[in-house]
Amino acid sequence: MKKIFLLLFVFSLLGCEKDDICDANTSTTPRLVIELYDNTTITPTTKALTKMKAVADGMDGVGIVFYPTLATNNNDRYLSNDKKIYLPLKTGESDTFTTYSLTLNSGVTGSENTDVVTFSYDKNKVFVSRACGYKMLFNLTNTNTNILSPDSDNWIKNIIILKPNLETETDVHIQIYF
């Protein structure tokens, strides 16, 4: 009788599944990876931004958080001084484009310069796992990304789409020359 009970107990344990927890290393919806280049050099040379603020249409005026470790009341949290930026794209059912206002020298009186850029794309919803759910993959559809500006002084001189398929954040998708 003890052997039968022990055998039933062992078989019941075999039917158990491990907890469904999404591993932090699991790939999720990728952001658009943009690398910045100096427009004045003959050979492509990366160039860091100066106090660049990115605000997507529909966001409050605060903008994308580039430095999450800084306090929420620290404005530098929203300003990039890097050679590479990561921008999320909208994932709603009807969203097929995301428009960003990109302000160079944000907060510097007299030298702020805002360009408006629109990224158009198709979306593909992909099942990751039961624990992680779905992620969205993007395919940039505009071969000539729109650069709009409220003035005639665009700081962005050229945009080149290197990799239209956004599947990971390890690849650079777009180069911006300024």
Side-chain angles (χ1 to χ4, degrees):
M1 186 67 166
K2 286 183 180 181
K3 289 181 182 179
I4 293 174
F5 179 71
L6 183 61
L7 192 61
L8 288 174
F9 179 72
V10 169
F11 281 125
S12 68
L13 289 178
L14 292 176
C16 293
E17 295 181 28
K18 66 178 186 169
D19 290 338
D20 278 336
I21 298 174
C22 187
D23 184 2
N25 295 324
T26 301
S27 174
T28 58
T29 298
R31 295 171 292 177
L32 180 65
V33 180
I34 301 174
E35 198 162 48
L36 293 301
Y37 286 85
D38 189 344
N39 191 52
T40 62
T41 61
I42 294 172
T43 57
T45 306
T46 57
K47 180 179 174 182
L49 296 161
T50 306
K51 295 188 173 193
M52 198 279 302
K53 184 175 189 176
V55 180
D57 276 359
M59 286 182 79
D60 58 14
V62 175
I64 300 297
V65 174
F66 291 109
Y67 301 103
T69 57
L70 296 177
T72 56
N73 61 350
N74 186 339
N75 285 338
D76 288 343
R77 171 183 177 93
Y78 308 100
L79 302 176
S80 178
N81 295 301
D82 292 329
K83 296 176 182 179
K84 193 182 287 188
I85 58 173
Y86 300 81
L87 299 177
L89 299 176
K90 293 181 182 178
T91 59
E93 287 294 321
S94 62
D95 293 320
T96 57
F97 66 92
T98 302
T99 299
Y100 274 97
S101 294
L102 302 175
T103 303
L104 197 61
N105 298 317
S106 180
V108 179
T109 307
S111 63
E112 279 191 347
N113 191 345
T114 301
D115 288 351
V116 178
V117 180
T118 299
F119 302 104
S120 301
Y121 46 85
D122 292 325
K123 299 177 305 223
N124 184 22
K125 195 175 191 178
V126 176
F127 181 73
V128 177
S129 69
R130 193 171 79 181
C132 299
Y134 290 86
K135 69 178 178 180
M136 196 69 71
L137 299 180
F138 302 95
N139 182 34
L140 297 172
T141 57
N142 49 339
T143 55
N144 193 4
T145 304
N146 292 334
I147 306 171
L148 309 170
S149 182
D151 57 32
S152 61
D153 183 26
N154 289 349
W155 67 270
I156 297 174
K157 303 303 180 195
N158 193 16
I159 296 178
I160 298 173
I161 299 174
L162 293 177
K163 187 167 183 182
N165 295 323
L166 281 71
E167 297 173 356
T168 69
E169 291 182 4
T170 57
D171 298 321
V172 173
H173 305 113
I174 290 182
Q175 291 176 332
I176 289 182
Y177 288 81
F178 71 104

